[in-house]
């Protein structure tokens, strides 16, 4: 009897398990269907707004444009999702507005006035949850709402990393120097924010970048300093050349590499000696960056230094130096000097660079 009862109990448990599993699958199916319906509905709204915006922009007369605009805002009504979608599409149009005729640019100004997006997102910044606030601050930055900087700043002290990140990005886009420096100092010891996040933050900064680098140099550690230099290397900020020169003497390898790379970007003969000295650095990445700088300078003295670099003990440096010589030595004077020398490895590096150049140019050396 006891054995029979255990069998029944086991069967009941199996049945309950199967029913629970079926219920879970059914629930997941229902959620999936609801998500599909939501996505479909959102897609339809997106397409409808896109169509109405096109009708508005390409209406032939002021009266017809006004009518199309009225129809659009009647469709939007009090629906926050529809308004947000319209704002997003408006931002996309603004990014290509320089290519539009003046008449359509004026129409976009008319649309902006009716949308009045800053109060819309300011309300969500004040009353929304953290996800809504994260989104709102980025939209406020899109519209350069600098008057809202004071409302966004307190979010840097929030406990949620995602909200702090979005607030910091918005403040950077709005050119708020103090807030960017504050966030950068957080990154010195807070590993929730990666090197990539800090680079992104600095590259979004719309204020005086020279002043920003100097502020970070004054108040932050070498890690932040190096990141600031890397963020703006492509900007070729000549006002910071002296700072880069000082950084090349740093004991921090990361900062030294960043400063050599930044100085190399100028391609200015006045830094030729500095680049030649860097070719003797013990760090091969510094030497590699110096090769890049000498290639951009391209003077006979720089070419002589590059010939020396083809004898470097590190393959990457030899290869880069050989490629640089082949690129800028049109008369092949320095190419022949390396090929006729006694350093087999230097000659092999130049031969390899010549082979690649010929192959890239379809059999011709250019």
């Amino acid at each position: 009897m006891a054995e029979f009862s255990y069998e029944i109990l086991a069967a009941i448990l199996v049945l309950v398990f199967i029913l629970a599993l079926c219920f879970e699958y059914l629930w997941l199916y229902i959620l999936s269907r609801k998500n599909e319906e939501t996505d479909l509905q959102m897609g339809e709204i997106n397409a409808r707004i896109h169509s109405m915006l096109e009708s508005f922009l390409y209406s032939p007369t002021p009266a017809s444009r006004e009518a199309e605009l009225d129809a659009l805002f009647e469709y939007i009504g009090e629906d926050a999702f529809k308004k947000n979608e319209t704002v997003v599409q408006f931002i996309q149009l603004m990014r290509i507005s320089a290519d539009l005729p003046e008449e359509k640019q004026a129409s976009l100004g008319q649309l902006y006035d009716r949308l009045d997006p800053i109060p819309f997102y300011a309300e969500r910044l004040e009353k929304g949850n953290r996800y809504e606030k994260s989104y709102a601050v980025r939209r406020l930055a899109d519209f350069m709402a600098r008057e809202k900087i004071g409302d966004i700043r307190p979010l840097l002290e929030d406990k949620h990393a995602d909200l702090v990140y979005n607030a910091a990005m918005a403040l950077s886009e709005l050119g708020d120097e103090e807030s960017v420096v504050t966030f950068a100092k957080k990154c010195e010891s807070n590993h929730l924010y990666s090197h990539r996040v800090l680079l992104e933050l600095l590259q979004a900064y719309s204020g005086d970048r020279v002043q920003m680098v100097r502020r970070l140099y004054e108040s932050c550690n070498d890690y932040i300093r190096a990141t600031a230099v890397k963020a703006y290397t492509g900007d070729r900020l000549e006002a910071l050349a002296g700072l880069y020169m000082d950084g090349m003497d740093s004991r921090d390898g990361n900062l030294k590499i960043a400063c050599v790379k930044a100085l190399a970007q100028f391609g200015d003969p006045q830094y030729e000696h500095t680049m030649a000295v860097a070719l003797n650095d013990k760090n091969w990445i510094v030497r590699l960056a110096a090769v890049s700088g000498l290639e951009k300078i391209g003077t006979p003295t720089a070419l002589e230094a590059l010939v020396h670099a083809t004898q470097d003990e590190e393959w990457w440096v030899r290869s880069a130096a050989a490629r640089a010589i082949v690129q800028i030595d049109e008369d092949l004077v320095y190419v022949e000097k390396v090929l006729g020398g006694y350093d087999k490895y230097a000659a092999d590096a130049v031969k390899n660079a010549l082979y690649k150049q010929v192959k890239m140019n379809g059999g011709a050396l250019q």
Side-chain angles (χ1 to χ4, degrees), residues 52 55-57 59 63-73:
M52 297 180 83
S55 297
F56 161 67
L57 283 175
S59 291
S64 61
R65 281 196 295 275
E66 189 67 35
E68 292 292 349
L69 196 57
D70 289 340
L72 172 63
F73 279 89

Side-chain angles (χ1 to χ4, degrees), residues 64-349:
S64 61
R65 281 196 295 275
E66 189 67 35
E68 292 292 349
L69 196 57
D70 289 340
L72 172 63
F73 279 89
E74 183 179 349
Y75 174 67
I76 294 172
E78 299 298 321
D79 191 314
F81 176 81
K82 290 179 181 177
K83 182 162 185 175
N84 177 68
E85 182 56 38
T86 306
V87 171
V88 170
Q89 294 197 31
F90 169 78
I91 292 170
Q92 293 169 350
L93 287 168
M94 286 301 298
R95 286 172 181 162
I96 62 168
S97 61
D99 300 325
L100 296 175
E102 288 186 12
E103 181 181 314
K104 290 183 174 53
Q105 292 182 26
S107 295
L108 286 176
Q110 187 181 2
L111 174 60
Y112 175 82
D113 290 339
R114 288 285 294 271
L115 279 171
D116 199 17
I118 293 177
F120 175 70
Y121 290 110
E123 183 179 0
R124 276 143 189 78
L125 177 60
E126 180 184 357
K127 300 178 180 178
N129 58 39
R130 70 174 183 272
Y131 301 109
E132 292 169 334
K133 289 180 178 180
S134 292
Y135 185 80
V137 295
R138 301 304 288 269
R139 294 286 77 83
L140 288 169
D142 284 334
F143 292 106
M144 297 306 292
R146 290 191 171 93
E147 68 273 21
K148 298 300 176 184
I149 286 176
D151 297 326
I152 300 173
R153 277 179 174 174
L155 299 180
L156 292 180
E157 304 303 322
D158 196 89
K159 63 181 180 180
H160 298 286
D162 184 65
L163 180 53
V164 174
Y165 161 76
N166 282 290
M169 286 297 298
L171 291 164
S172 184
E173 290 176 41
L174 293 170
D176 184 22
E177 181 182 306
E178 290 300 326
S179 295
V180 174
V181 172
T182 297
F183 184 84
K185 288 184 71 65
K186 284 177 177 288
C187 293
E188 287 183 318
S189 57
N190 190 338
H191 299 291
L192 286 174
Y193 305 107
S194 68
H195 171 71
R196 177 55 56 188
V197 166
L198 187 54
L199 273 178
E200 185 183 4
L201 176 85
L202 294 173
Q203 288 166 352
Y205 183 60
S206 63
D208 185 336
R209 293 184 166 186
V210 170
Q211 176 63 17
M212 173 58 68
V213 174
R214 286 177 173 157
R215 281 289 306 277
L216 294 176
Y217 248 72
E218 291 170 4
S219 56
C220 296
N221 62 19
D222 285 338
Y223 165 69
I224 302 297
R225 292 172 181 170
T227 305
V229 172
K230 291 175 186 177
Y232 302 138
T233 292
D235 289 16
R236 299 181 182 180
L237 303 175
E238 293 191 30
L240 294 175
L243 183 146
Y244 297 153
M245 293 279 283
D246 291 341
M248 288 176 65
D249 294 328
S250 173
R251 294 182 179 179
D252 184 86
N254 195 33
L255 179 58
K256 178 186 282 191
I257 291 167
C259 288
V260 174
K261 287 182 176 180
L263 202 64
Q265 282 293 313
F266 297 147
D268 191 325
Q270 69 175 306
Y271 306 122
E272 180 179 273
H273 176 70
T274 304
M275 293 293 107
V277 170
L279 283 179
N280 297 310
D281 195 271
K282 63 181 180 180
N283 189 321
W284 71 269
I285 301 178
V286 171
R287 303 198 300 272
L288 185 64
V291 166
S292 175
L294 290 165
E295 179 181 1
K296 288 180 174 64
I297 293 169
T299 62
T301 312
L303 277 161
E304 288 287 359
L306 288 170
V307 167
H308 173 72
T310 60
Q311 302 171 24
D312 196 276
E313 63 181 17
E314 175 61 47
W315 181 88
W316 291 104
V317 179
R318 292 199 304 274
S319 178
R323 186 171 61 252
I325 292 171
V326 170
Q327 287 286 339
I328 61 180
D329 182 19
E330 296 180 356
D331 298 326
L332 303 182
V333 173
Y334 296 91
V335 169
E336 290 179 0
K337 181 179 289 190
V338 178
L339 293 177
Y342 294 102
D343 193 313
K344 176 181 180 300
Y345 296 108
D348 285 346

